[in-house]
C-alpha cells in the first residue's frame, strides 16, 4: 500500500446520493471525470476484471463464443432497423471528417445480425451463441448514483441465433441459467421478473433485478407464490363478468361543478343514491393522442376505475412502439364533443374515438361516469350493456394489495436495479436484414434471435450496495480486489519483517495479498482496511512478540488470534471455506 | 471447428492492400464494419487478448499500475492544454444532449495529470507509473491496411510521474526496457529510432518501428554504427566552414527563361563557367507562410541545395507547433519583390523575410541562385560573405548515401510501422494543470512526466505482416490463438475417436487445442490449418491404422511421423522447445 495508487477519503463526496457511490469514491475505487463518466483506479479495476471473468466463464460454459465489435458504429444498419430514429436523444451521435453519421453503440443487435448473415449460410451452422464484453454508451438524461447509471459503461451482451423456435427457447433457457449462476457466484441477491419488451421488440422477456432500496426499477411480487414482475409486465387479474339481469338502468344527473373524481364522489354521497360511493365506483376517462411509427396522430381514450391513476410506464409499454401525449387545451377546443371533466363512454364511442378500458371494467360492472355535458354525470352505466369498449389496456397503476395474476395472494412492491435481461427477440432483426439460411429441406429459413445482457460495470456498484456496512465495503471473496489484507500494526522491525514474510508466503500459496506497509498509525490502517472491504484482515500487531497475529472476518466482524507460525495454513483455510 | 464461429475465405478481399489485411480477413480473424472500424471474431480476439496479456505482465513488472479512463472525454481539460484546437480534424468530436462538447480520446495526458494532481500531494508518493489498456479513437484522413491504421483501436498508454529529472530518466529507461521485452516476447523484428516529439511536445523521444515494407514510417539507419532515426529526427552532418580567401566575387547573369533548377543547370553548363555544374551547386529558395499558435501568418523562406527537395514531414516537425502552407499566386502578387523562379537570398533578407537554410549551406559555400529579377541569376554568391541567413532548418530530404550524423558511415533507408513510442514529456502538462506536490524541503515541486504507448491492436497486424508465407499466417507461439491444431484427416471412427482423445489429452496438459472435427475433405482442412497459422499441426490421417500421426511445424514446414501412443508427450515437448 505504500506504492499503491490510492488515496482514501474521510468524508463522503458532496454529490453522492447512494451508499455504493459514496463508498466507492471514498475507498478510491473510482473517480468522476464528467457527469456519468468515471475512471477506474487500481482497486476498482481489479473488481471490474474479476466480475468480467466470472461472466466470461459462465458464457463460455454455455457455448458462448466471444467476439468484439467497435463502439463507434455507422448509421446505415440502424436506419434499416429504424433505431437511428427510435433512439432519439438517448444515444451519442457524431459525424466523421467526411460528414458521415455514427453512433456510440448502446447495443449491437444490428451488427451481430449482419455479421452472422455475412458468415453463415446453412442450417448446419446453428445453433450459434455469440457474446462480447464491451464498452457501451447512453446519453442518459440524468446520469446518477455513480457507476449505477453511467453514460459510458461495460456490458456483456449476447445474441443467440437459431433456425427454429425450439432452438431459441433452449438458448434463452441456457442464458437464464448462466445468469443465475453468475449472480450467485457474485453474491448478488436478485429476483427474476417478467418484463415487457420495451424498445427492443419481441416476445418472452425477463429481467434480473438486484434487490436494492436505491433501485430505479419498481417491481411487484407475490410472497405466497414467488411471482415477480416489472410493473410494466403485470397482467391485471380480470374479474368474472356479472349478469345484466336486475341491474338498474342508467340515470343522468345534474352534478354541478364536479370535474374531478373527488368532487364527483362528494356529490354522489350527498345525492341519496342509497349506498356509500367511493372513487372505485367511478369511471375516469383519460384522453391521449397516439401515433404509430410513420402514422398520423389519432385520439385514444383510456378508461380506468376512478381510484387509480394511469401509470405512465405501463401506458407507454402497452402502446409500444407508438408514441403518445396527453391532450392539451387546444386539442380539446378542436373536438367540442370532449367536455373536459364530464367525458363518458357514450360520447367517445358515438364520435368514433378509440376507447380502451382497464381489464377490471368487465361486462356487467356498473359505473358513475361523465354524461358528455357540462355539470352532468350518469349513474349506473353498465359495461357491455350500455357501452362496449374497443378493448382493454394495461395502463392503470399497480398497487400493493392488488391480487397476484396467478391468483395465489396479493402483490407487494419492491425496488431493484436491473443487472440482467434475457429476451426472445424473435425475428425482428433477421426480418429487417433478411437473415436467411438454407434449411434442411433446401428452402430458406429465417433465423430467430435472442438477446441477453449483463450490466458488468454496474455490478461493481450493485455488489457494493448490497455488501457494505457503516464502516465500509465488504466484498464477496469471488470479486474482492484482494483475498487478504495484511496490516502491519507494530513498529518493531521484527514484526514488520514477519508481516512482510507472511504476505509473501500467502502470495506463494496463490492468494492475492494487500500489505499495508505504510508508516501511518494502526488506527488509520484499520479504518482503511474496513473501508476497502477485503474479506480477511490479518493484523500483525502487539501480539507478534507473543507469537500471535489476529485474523478478522470483515463480513461477520469476528476476530480471533492465531499462532503466527501456523498463520499461513489457517488463513488459507479460512479463505477457502464457504461463507454464510 | 465444427462449432467455432469461423468462415475462411478462398479469395483475397477486393479492398485489401497489404498481406496482413488479406490474411486476417481470409482466415476469419477480423471483419470490416466501416472504414477503419473492425470487429474481432473469435480467433482474432484470442490473439488480441494474448498480446494484451504480454503487455500487461511487462508493465506490471516495472511497477506499472493499471487503471482505466473513459474513452468519452469532456472538452475542458483539452482546452487547458490547447489540444482541443490542436487536434483539428484528427479526432472525433460530439455533443451530449445538453450541448456540452466531448472528444473520443486519442490519448489521455490531460486526464492522467489531473487524476494524479487530485490524489497525491507529497513527494513521498512518487515515483508513480500508471497505465491503461484502452480503446482509442482517431479520425484518420485515410484509414488503411485493415487494423494497421484503424479509427478505433486498442492502445496501452502509460504515464510516469516524478519529482525530478532523474526519476523521469529512470521511468523512461524502465519503459524502454519493458518495450524491448514485450516486442521480443511477441516475436516482432523492430528497431528503435530517434524521433522528434510531434504534437505531444517535450524532449527525449524514441519510436519502436516494426520492420516492414508496408510501413508508413520511413527511417534511416547506419549499418556501420547501428544509428537509426525517423527521417524527422535526422540531424544533418554539418560540413566544416570554408575560408573566404580567394573565393571569386558574385557575378549576375542574364539566364533567360530558367525558373527551374533543371533549366538553370542547363544554362550554367552552356555558359562557359569553366566547370561542370550540377543541381547541388544551386541554391533553391522555397517560400512559405507560417503561423505560430495564436499568432499571425508570416513569410518564411527555406534555402536548400537545388538537388534536394524540401521534405514535408521534416519541415512540419522543424516548424512544430506552428502551422504552415506554401505561398500561392495571390501571395506572390502581394509581394512584388518575390520574383518567382528567380528568388535569391539578398532580396529576401533586404525585404525582411525570415530566411532559414539547410545546415549544408555553411559559411564559405558558394552558390548559383536567383538574382531577384526575372531571367537573372547570380553565380558565386558565398554564404557568410554575401548573405547571412537567420539560421538553419532541418527541412531538406534525407537520402540513402547521406553521411550518418555520427560520422560512422552512410545512411540507408528502410520502412517500418510504429508499434511503440517512449517519450520524456517533461512538464508540458504539469505546467498546464499546475500539478505541484510538496517537496522534501517543504516547497512545491512541479511534477515531470513521461508518456509511453504501445499499439496493441495494431500489433496483431504487424505480427501477421512479419510472420506469414504464401499459404497463410504463422503465429509465434506466445500469441497464437491455439497451441496445437489437430486435424482429423481420416473418416475411420477409430481415428476420429483417437484424434478427439488426443485433443483432450493435450488440453489436460495445459495446451490450447483447436480440433478440426468438420466433415470437410482433408485437403480443405490442411488449407485452413495453413491459413489459420497455429504453430503446430497434428494430422490424424492414414497412418492412424499403423499407429502414427504426423506433426507439422507451420513455421519451418517440417513434418515428421510420431508414434500415436507417445504423441501427447512428443507434442508437449515440441511446443515447449524454443523456436529458431
Amino acid at each position: 500500500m505504500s506504492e499503491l495508487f490510492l488515496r482514501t477519503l474521510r468524508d463522503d463526496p458532496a454529490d453522492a446520493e447512494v451508499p455504493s457511490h459514496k463508498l466507492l469514491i471514498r475507498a478510491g475505487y473510482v473517480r468522476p471525470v464528467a457527469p456519468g463518466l468515471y475512471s477506474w483506479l487500481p482497486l476498482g479495476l481489479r473488481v471490474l476484471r474479476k466480475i468480467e471473468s466470472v461472466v466470461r466463464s459462465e458464457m463460455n460454459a454455455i457455448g458462448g463464443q466471444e467476439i468484439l465489435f467497435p463502439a463507434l458504429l455507422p448509421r446505415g444498419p440502424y436506419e434499416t432497423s429504424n433505431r437511428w430514429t427510435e433512439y432519439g436523444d438517448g444515444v451519442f451521435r457524431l459525424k466523421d471528417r467526411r460528414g458521415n453519421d455514427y453512433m456510440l453503440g448502446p447495443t449491437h443487435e444490428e451488427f451481430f445480425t449482419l455479421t452472422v448473415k455475412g458468415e453463415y449460410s446453412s442450417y448446419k451452422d446453428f445453433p450459434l451463441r455469440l457474446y462480447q464484453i464491451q464498452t457501451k454508451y447512453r446519453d442518459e438524461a440524468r446520469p446518477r448514483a455513480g457507476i449505477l447509471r453511467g453514460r459510458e459503461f461495460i456490458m456483456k451482451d449476447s445474441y443467440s441465433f437459431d433456425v427454429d423456435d425450439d432452438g431459441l427457447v433452449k438458448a434463452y433457457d441456457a442464458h437464464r441459467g448462466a445468469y443465475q449462476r453468475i449472480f450467485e457466484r457474485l453474491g448478488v441477491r436478485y429476483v427474476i421478473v417478467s418484463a415487457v419488451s420495451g424498445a427492443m421488440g419481441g416476445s418472452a422477456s425477463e429481467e434480473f433485478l438486484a434487490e436494492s432500496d436505491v433501485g430505479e426499477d419498481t417491481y411487484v411480487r407475490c410472497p405466497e407464490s414467488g411471482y415477480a414482475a416489472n410493473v410494466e409486465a403485470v397482467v391485471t387479474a380480470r374479474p368474472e363478468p356479472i349478469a345484466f339481469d336486475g341491474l338498474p338502468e342508467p340515470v343522468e344527473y345534474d352534478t354541478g361543478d364536479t370535474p374531478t373524481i373527488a368532487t364527483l364522489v362528494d356529490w354522489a354521497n350527498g345525492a341519496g343514491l342509497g349506498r356509500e360511493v367511493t372513487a372505485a365506483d367511478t369511471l375516469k376517462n383519460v384522453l391521449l393522442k397516439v401515433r404509430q411509427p410513420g402514422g398520423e396522430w389519432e385520439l385514444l381514450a383510456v378508461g380506468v376505475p376512478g381510484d387509480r391513476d394511469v401509470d405512465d410506464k405501463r401506458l407507454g409499454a402497452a402502446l409500444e412502439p407508438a408514441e403518445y401525449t396527453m391532450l392539451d387545451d387546444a386539442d380539446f377546443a378542436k373536438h367540442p364533443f370532449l367536455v373536459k371533466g364530464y367525458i363518458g363512454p357514450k360520447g367517445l364511442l358515438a364520435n368514433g374515438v378509440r376507447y380502451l378500458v382497464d381489464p377490471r371494467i368487465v361486462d356487467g360492472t356498473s359505473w358513475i361516469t361523465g354524461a358528455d355535458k357540462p355539470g352532468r354525470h350518469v349513474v349506473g352505466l353498465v359495461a357491455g350493456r350500455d357501452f362496449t369498449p374497443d378493448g382493454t389496456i394495461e395502463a392503470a397503476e399497480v398497487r400493493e394489495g392488488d391480487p397476484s395474476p396467478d391468483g395465489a395472494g396479493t402483490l407487494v412492491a419492491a425496488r431493484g436495479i436491473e443487472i440482467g435481461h434475457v429476451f426472445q427477440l424473435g425475428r425482428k432483426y433477421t426480418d429487417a436484414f433478411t437473415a436467411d439460411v438454407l434449411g434442411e429441406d433446401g428452402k430458406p429459413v429465417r433465423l430467430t434471435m435472442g438477446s441477453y445482457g449483463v450490466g458488468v460495470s454496474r455490478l461493481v456498484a450493485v455488489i457494493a450496495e448490497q455488501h457494505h456496512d457503516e464502516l465500509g465495503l465488504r466484498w464477496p471473496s469471488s470479486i474482492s480486489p484482494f483475498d487478504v489484507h495484511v496490516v502491519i500494526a507494530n513498529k518493531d522491525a521484527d514484526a514488520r519483517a514477519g508481516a512482510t514474510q507472511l504476505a509473501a508466503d500467502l502470495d506463494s500459496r496463490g492468494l492475492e495479498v494487500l500489505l499495508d506497509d505504510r508508516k501511518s498509525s494502526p488506527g488509520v490502517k484499520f479504518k482503511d482496511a474496513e473501508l476497502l472491504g477485503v474479506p480477511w484482515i490479518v493484523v500483525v500487531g502487539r501480539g507478534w512478540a507473543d507469537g500471535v497475529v489476529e485474523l478478522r472476518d470483515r463480513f461477520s466482524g469476528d476476530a480471533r488470534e492465531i499462532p503466527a507460525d501456523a498463520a499461513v495454513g489457517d488463513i488459507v483455510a479460512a479463505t477457502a471455506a464457504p461463507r454464510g
Side-chain angles (χ1 to χ4, degrees), chain A residues 182-310:
Chain A
I182 287 168
F183 298 131
E184 191 161 315
R185 285 175 64 180
L186 298 178
V188 179
R189 296 188 304 277
Y190 70 95
V191 292
I192 303 178
V193 303
S194 302
V196 289
S197 54
M200 314 256 281
S203 45
S205 169
E206 288 169 293
E207 282 175 9
F208 290 71
L209 298 183
E211 298 172 18
S212 168
D213 293 343
V214 305
E216 286 193 318
D217 290 284
T218 304
Y219 67 99
V220 292
R221 59 194 179 82
C222 172
E224 288 80 2
S225 66
Y227 167 87
N230 216 310
V231 285
E232 292 96 312
V234 172
V235 179
T236 305
R238 190 182 288 256
E240 286 296 309
I242 299 164
F244 300 139
D245 313 344
L247 291 176
E249 287 300 307
V251 180
E252 195 179 305
Y253 290 88
D254 185 342
T255 57
D257 183 24
T258 52
T260 65
I261 295 297
T263 52
L264 179 60
V265 168
D266 278 355
W267 168 84
N269 283 320
L273 298 181
R275 57 184 169 111
E276 173 76 13
V277 169
T278 71
D281 299 316
T282 68
L283 170 57
K284 174 163 69 178
N285 297 299
V286 177
L287 267 292
L288 315 169
K289 282 189 298 188
V290 175
R291 181 165 66 175
Q292 299 296 333
E296 298 291 314
W297 287 106
E298 290 177 5
L299 287 182
L300 172 70
V302 172
V304 296
D307 63 331
R308 284 180 194 263
D309 285 331
V310 167

Side-chain angles (χ1 to χ4, degrees), chain A residues 501-543:
Chain A
Q501 185 59 47
L502 175 60
D505 291 344
L506 291 169
D507 179 86
S508 73
R509 292 290 294 271
L511 294 182
E512 293 175 336
V513 184
L514 179 62
L515 174 66
D516 192 347
D517 58 347
R518 295 176 300 171
K519 289 186 179 139
S520 324
S521 74
V524 165
K525 291 184 176 184
F526 295 152
K527 272 204 157 44
D528 275 349
E530 281 151 350
L531 180 60
L532 297 188
V534 173
W536 294 99
I537 301 166
V538 178
V539 181
V540 177
R542 277 171 299 188

Side-chain angles (χ1 to χ4, degrees), chain A residues 432-506:
Chain A
F433 295 100
T434 338
D436 292 341
V437 295
L438 214 59
E440 200 165 356
D441 58 1
K443 290 178 188 158
V445 184
R446 181 70 34 104
L447 293 172
T448 181
M449 277 173 77
S451 152
Y452 318 92
V454 170
V456 173
S457 50
R458 168 179 285 184
L459 274 165
V460 177
V462 164
I463 297 167
E465 202 61 56
Q466 290 192 345
H467 299 285
H468 70 268
D469 60 15
E470 66 289 355
L471 301 173
L473 298 160
R474 297 197 296 193
W475 296 109
S477 305
S478 57
I479 57 148
S480 174
F482 291 92
D483 297 312
V484 180
H485 188 147
V486 176
V487 176
I488 306 179
N490 185 329
K491 284 187 179 167
D492 182 66
D494 186 52
R496 193 175 178 84
T500 307
Q501 185 59 47
L502 175 60
D505 291 344
L506 291 169

Side-chain angles (χ1 to χ4, degrees), chain A residues 33-88:
Chain A
V33 170
L37 299 171
Y38 288 82
S39 56
W40 296 85
L41 299 192
L43 295 178
L45 188 59
R46 289 179 78 101
V47 174
L48 180 66
R49 294 292 184 229
K50 289 189 180 192
I51 294 175
E52 282 184 14
S53 139
V54 168
V55 171
R56 183 173 283 122
S57 78
E58 294 295 345
M59 294 316 301
N60 292 345
I62 61 164
Q65 300 188 54
E66 188 173 1
I67 67 179
L68 182 64
F69 274 89
L72 181 63
L73 295 167
R75 173 173 179 161
Y78 286 115
E79 278 293 344
T80 308
S81 69
N82 203 35
R83 292 210 292 185
W84 182 262
T85 307
E86 278 174 26
Y87 274 127

